[in-house]
Amino acid sequence: MSARRRLGARWRRRRPLRTRLAVAAAAAVALVAVGVCVAAFLVIRYKLYQQLDQNLAQSATLIAQQRHDGEPGVVTGECRFLGAPACSQIVPADADADPSEAYLLPVSAATRQVASGQLAPYYTNFTLHGKPARMFTTSYGKGEAVQVALRADIADRGVRQTAYLLSAVGGVGILLSGLGGYWVSRTGLAPVARLTATAERIAATRDARHRIELPPGPSGREDEVTRLATTFNTMLAELEESVTARRRLVADASHELRTPLTALRTNAELLSRGERLTEAQRERASGALARQLREVTGMVNDLIELAREEEPQPLLEEVRLAPLVAHGVDAARGHWPDVPFTLQVAPDAAELSIPGVPARLSRLLTNLLDNAAKFSPPGTPVEVTLTPTALTVRDHGPGIAPEDLPYVFDRFYRAEKARALPGSGLGLAMARQIAHAHGAELTAEAAPGGGALFRLTPPT
């Protein structure tokens, strides 16, 4: 990499995006302005000298028509003054044929070559009596050339004035392009600057409640940067919700684990002094310790399940619901022998399947069946029904109070009637999370005639 390229790369790294955008916009507009001014100057200069050359050519033609003798020498010499007719003279190819009087216009070897036909006619600029002039040299008859000259003050002055004017216009254009580039970069990158400031503030404070201020106006007129800011705000809202949910989960888990851990420590300390206990006391303490370990282990496993996000795509497969539900009901019958379970599968739902993870869907169904069995009086059935549109689990227990219904799927929430029963309050929360991870919807409602009814609606 050359030194110039390395210097440019270093400059780009050290300058902020706003400065680079302003410089790029100003340079682009300035380049266009300079290009237009240069093109206009060249066109005007060409037209001014073209008009002057046409006058010279017309004067040479007029001399050729009016001068028939072809004698070498000065024909007219009035171009000393501005606006006077052209100066003209006839020059022979051979210098020996020159007249005795000196020529008014300069004669060069090229002039002799034009006279002899060895060189094409040409235009040239020179100084006449200290003033700018332009001369046209063309052939005149056989072995002679005619030279015609005019003062070029007006053309030169027009060219200079054009150069000054276009230089001023170009300078103003460059200045305006710089100001415009700065304004464009400042206004166009304002949402990016706000986004950067918000991200830095969140990184410094670890507070995801901050948002980027969006410009007022209808959403249909949003540009790309505004849509980026809107998307960033949406991401911040989801991040805030996720952080809040994680903090609430940790707080609830620490609160719920405090009691069983205290009981575990008490029983462990009690067993450490086993020589002071009777055999019955040791067995009772050992049983309580094992039961509490199972409860804590189950709660930890439930917390791990709740901490999972959506299912990884490679693990998904088509899961037939009818065999899965039948297997779950058979397992529940073995776990709850005092509760009868009935299963009804609609004929058109026998082949119903959804994309998912079988183990997770089985866990969802097990949680629903265990919850129904826990609240069912002995001998009352738990009814499981599978149709093409939904899977329902209904019990005939005390049901869900209207004030508890909005919170039944919350983590660690336990209604007044359920606080005396075993459980951590995580089963239904886990069931809903599994349902959402599979694109399904799980709802709870009061069943007709008493009891609770949970409805799982597969994704459409």
Side-chain angles (χ1 to χ4, degrees):
M1 183 183 292
S2 64
R4 180 179 300 177
R5 186 173 300 177
R6 287 196 300 269
L7 181 61
R10 190 181 303 114
W11 183 88
R12 287 191 297 270
R13 287 195 301 266
R14 293 182 178 179
R15 294 297 181 272
L17 178 61
R18 179 180 300 177
T19 301
R20 284 183 283 161
L21 181 60
V23 171
V29 177
L31 184 63
V32 173
V34 171
V36 171
C37 290
V38 170
F41 171 77
L42 294 177
V43 170
I44 294 175
R45 181 177 178 274
Y46 171 77
K47 289 297 181 181
L48 289 175
Y49 280 104
Q50 184 186 42
Q51 185 177 4
L52 185 61
D53 293 345
Q54 288 176 353
N55 291 337
L56 290 172
Q58 290 174 0
S59 299
T61 303
L62 185 61
I63 292 173
Q65 292 175 353
Q66 295 178 354
R67 186 75 179 229
H68 300 289
D69 52 7
E71 290 295 329
V74 177
V75 180
T76 56
E78 296 85 1
C79 62
R80 183 183 186 92
F81 304 100
L82 187 64
C87 296
S88 60
Q89 61 187 24
I90 298 175
V91 180
D94 188 1
D96 295 336
D98 287 345
S100 56
E101 296 182 357
Y103 289 113
L104 179 62
L105 302 176
V107 178
S108 63
T111 306
R112 305 290 184 182
Q113 292 176 352
V114 172
S116 62
Q118 299 176 1
L119 188 66
Y122 66 91
Y123 294 93
T124 183
N125 296 322
F126 69 104
T127 302
L128 179 63
H129 303 296
K131 300 295 182 181
R134 188 167 176 81
M135 181 173 63
F136 176 52
T137 302
T138 185
S139 59
Y140 177 77
K142 184 177 182 181
E144 293 180 332
V146 60
Q147 292 180 298
V148 183
L150 282 173
R151 287 271 297 275
D153 302 43
I154 297 177
D156 283 358
R157 188 182 303 116
V159 171
R160 285 196 303 272
Q161 291 176 350
T162 301
Y164 295 151
L165 178 62
L166 291 179
S167 297
V169 172
V172 173
I174 293 175
L175 177 61
L176 293 178
S177 67
L179 295 176
Y182 175 77
W183 179 81
V184 168
S185 65
R186 184 177 180 84
T187 56
L189 295 179
V192 177
R194 292 195 294 267
L195 187 149
T196 303
T198 302
E200 291 175 347
R201 190 160 55 247
I202 292 173
T205 62
R206 297 182 179 272
D207 187 358
R209 291 176 298 177
H210 299 286
R211 297 292 184 271
I212 301 173
E213 295 182 5
L214 299 177
S219 58
R221 297 181 181 178
E222 293 179 351
D223 56 13
E224 290 79 3
V225 179
T226 304
R227 290 202 298 271
L228 173 62
T230 304
T231 304
F232 191 77
N233 281 345
T234 304
M235 182 187 69
L236 287 178
E238 294 179 356
L239 177 62
E240 180 186 4
E241 182 179 353
S242 177
V243 170
T244 303
R246 292 291 184 268
R247 289 175 178 173
R248 187 170 59 247
L249 176 61
V250 171
D252 292 343
S254 62
H255 175 74
E256 293 293 331
L257 286 171
R258 185 177 296 114
T259 300
L261 288 177
T262 301
L264 277 173
R265 184 177 61 186
T266 302
N267 287 322
E269 292 176 352
L270 184 62
L271 286 175
S272 65
R273 297 189 294 269
E275 69 278 358
R276 303 179 184 178
L277 302 177
T278 64
E279 185 66 25
Q281 289 174 333
R282 281 197 300 270
E283 291 181 359
R284 191 163 50 250
S286 298
L289 183 62
R291 185 176 61 256
Q292 290 157 0
L293 280 174
R294 287 195 300 271
E295 291 180 1
V296 171
T297 302
M299 184 179 298
V300 171
N301 290 334
D302 291 344
L303 289 174
I304 293 174
E305 290 288 334
L306 285 172
R308 295 180 60 174
E309 299 295 336
E310 294 183 357
E311 302 300 337
Q313 291 299 323
L315 298 180
L316 296 181
E317 59 182 88
E318 285 295 325
V319 181
R320 292 181 57 196
L321 292 183
L324 182 74
V325 173
H327 181 271
V329 170
D330 289 341
R333 286 169 180 160
H335 187 66
W336 301 90
D338 295 335
V339 178
F341 289 85
T342 63
L343 174 60
Q344 293 182 356
V345 178
D348 49 353
E351 301 298 325
L352 180 64
S353 65
I354 62 172
V357 180
R360 297 272 283 163
L361 292 174
S362 178
R363 182 64 181 275
L364 184 156
L365 179 62
T366 299
N367 287 359
L368 293 180
L369 294 176
D370 288 346
N371 181 79
K374 183 168 60 175
F375 289 98
S376 295
T380 58
V382 172
E383 302 170 2
V384 182
T385 304
L386 177 63
T387 66
T389 57
L391 168 67
T392 60
V393 177
R394 187 236 169 115
D395 62 65
H396 292 268
I400 305 174
E403 62 271 14
D404 294 328
L405 194 59
Y407 312 102
V408 70
F409 293 106
D410 288 354
R411 297 165 180 168
F412 298 107
Y413 182 80
R414 305 184 73 184
E416 186 71 25
K417 301 175 182 178
R419 291 178 184 175
L421 298 176
S424 62
L426 295 175
L428 293 180
M430 187 188 307
R432 169 168 277 190
Q433 178 170 303
I434 296 174
H436 286 176
H438 288 78
E441 185 65 29
L442 179 61
T443 58
E445 58 189 79
L453 186 146
F454 291 86
R455 187 185 308 276
L456 176 67
T457 305
T460 57

